[in-house]
Amino acid sequence: MAEGQNYFARQKLIPDFSQEALTGSTALLLGMGGLGTNVATALCRLGVGKMFIVDYDVVDDHNLNRQTLFKKSHVNKSKVESSLETLQELHNLVTEIIPVEIDVLKNWPKVVELAKQSTIIFNMIDIGDSFDYAVQSLALSLRVPLSLGGTFQSTATVDFFKPGGNPCLACVNDNKFSKEILDKLTTDKIQSIQDISFLPADDNPTGQSTFLVANQCANMMAACFLNDLLKQSDPPTRSIFYLSDFQSLAWPMEPRENCELCAKSNSVV
């Protein structure tokens, strides 16, 4: 048997599993931290065809407890290059991995370019709600699904939004941005913006997380993508898992009437 021919034999045995659908997918990973490194590992092991890994930070020593593609010798080195090294050495079976080392705020046109080539966007950059809003607007404008995740202590939260929204992130979150910012981030303008450094960052507390919760959240994000891709189930809009007591919540959420993002996006399709 030729090398690599049998890599995915066990998952191909799953009823209605399509390896071809995975091979034909291109994933855009924004952020190579606790979630990004674990999502990248999952996608490589599943056999996704192509993956863009995006970050511009360097590895810090406090990353090593949960950012699984990094080792001690990677401290102070590029996250995307270190991620690529470990993925190719240990996890990558067939995926074409493209490292992109940019500041996404100052190089927004590059993000747009990558998103146009992608069939799924994973947003894992911890800038704040306004950046998440911008990425959701971009995903809606391109009719691409969006997966977001977050962790705090023992809680993993995942949001998954379909290409047309209904609901979208703007429907389910209370957007407290100025009208000036909202007007700049509409789906008909989002692809032409040159720089989104004007977006305010959230004043978040220092992260409190372990490998366990980061890995759980990343696997939930990857599972939502896989289930949606293979039409195995309809991923819930929001899923929460508590590692402290193994309780979980998952539910669909309702679209907001006259939503400034998905209602407008769908009206022009």
Side-chain angles (χ1 to χ4, degrees), residues 45-248:
R45 293 288 179 167
L46 285 168
V48 164
K50 188 173 184 179
M51 184 165 65
F52 300 108
I53 55 174
V54 181
D55 209 308
Y56 83 114
D57 204 356
V58 297
V59 180
D60 205 334
D61 55 1
H62 64 75
N63 299 149
L64 299 185
N65 78 312
R66 64 200 183 284
Q67 299 183 15
T68 53
L69 297 179
F70 308 138
K71 51 191 177 183
K72 288 187 281 186
S73 61
H74 285 147
V75 171
N76 295 323
K77 295 182 179 179
S78 160
K79 281 192 171 184
V80 293
E81 293 299 334
S82 299
S83 295
L84 178 63
E85 175 189 317
T86 305
L87 287 169
Q88 299 289 42
E89 180 181 355
L90 296 178
H91 301 292
N92 191 21
L93 302 174
V94 299
T95 305
E96 179 186 1
I97 306 172
I98 310 297
V100 183
E101 191 165 12
I102 58 169
D103 180 337
V104 295
L105 298 177
K106 296 178 180 179
N107 295 275
W108 183 249
K110 183 64 176 180
V111 176
V112 174
E113 174 192 329
L114 299 175
K116 287 180 176 180
Q117 302 174 57
S118 302
T119 56
I120 174 69
I121 299 174
F122 292 91
N123 178 19
M124 301 161 292
I125 295 182
D126 190 19
I127 294 174
D129 291 344
S130 61
F131 178 75
D132 296 343
Y133 187 99
V135 176
Q136 174 67 98
S137 181
L138 177 61
L140 286 170
S141 74
L142 297 172
R143 311 292 289 184
V144 174
L146 172 65
S147 182
L148 304 93
T151 66
F152 189 72
Q153 297 179 356
S154 62
T155 302
T157 303
V158 172
D159 287 347
F160 186 84
F161 300 104
K162 290 183 173 294
N166 290 322
C168 73
L169 183 65
C171 294
V172 303
N173 281 2
D174 184 14
N175 305 306
K176 300 177 180 178
F177 318 127
S178 68
K179 185 178 185 301
E180 179 183 5
I181 287 179
L182 292 175
D183 286 346
K184 290 180 179 179
L185 301 180
T186 56
T187 54
D188 59 337
K189 298 176 183 176
I190 193 67
Q191 295 185 38
S192 61
I193 300 175
Q194 297 301 303
D195 186 320
I196 59 171
S197 298
F198 61 85
L199 294 179
D202 289 357
D203 185 18
N204 292 322
T206 301
Q208 302 175 30
S209 184
T210 65
F211 161 75
L212 299 176
V213 71
N215 184 257
Q216 175 71 29
C217 187
N219 284 335
M220 289 166 63
M221 295 176 73
C224 284
F225 154 69
L226 182 65
N227 290 345
D228 183 65
L229 176 71
L230 302 183
K231 310 303 180 188
Q232 293 180 329
S233 68
D234 196 19
T237 311
R238 180 160 291 170
S239 308
I240 302 176
F241 188 85
Y242 301 95
L243 272 74
S244 56
D245 57 9
F246 292 88
Q247 297 295 309
S248 62

Side-chain angles (χ1 to χ4, degrees), residues 5-19:
Q5 187 173 334
N6 212 32
Y7 286 152
F8 306 109
R10 296 302 177 92
Q11 62 194 40
K12 288 179 179 179
L13 294 175
I14 300 171
D16 300 321
F17 195 95
S18 172
Q19 193 64 44

Side-chain angles (χ1 to χ4, degrees), residues 19-39:
Q19 193 64 44
E20 292 74 18
L22 282 163
T23 303
S25 296
T26 298
L28 172 56
L29 278 62
L30 299 175
M32 293 304 293
L35 298 181
T37 54
N38 283 285
V39 167

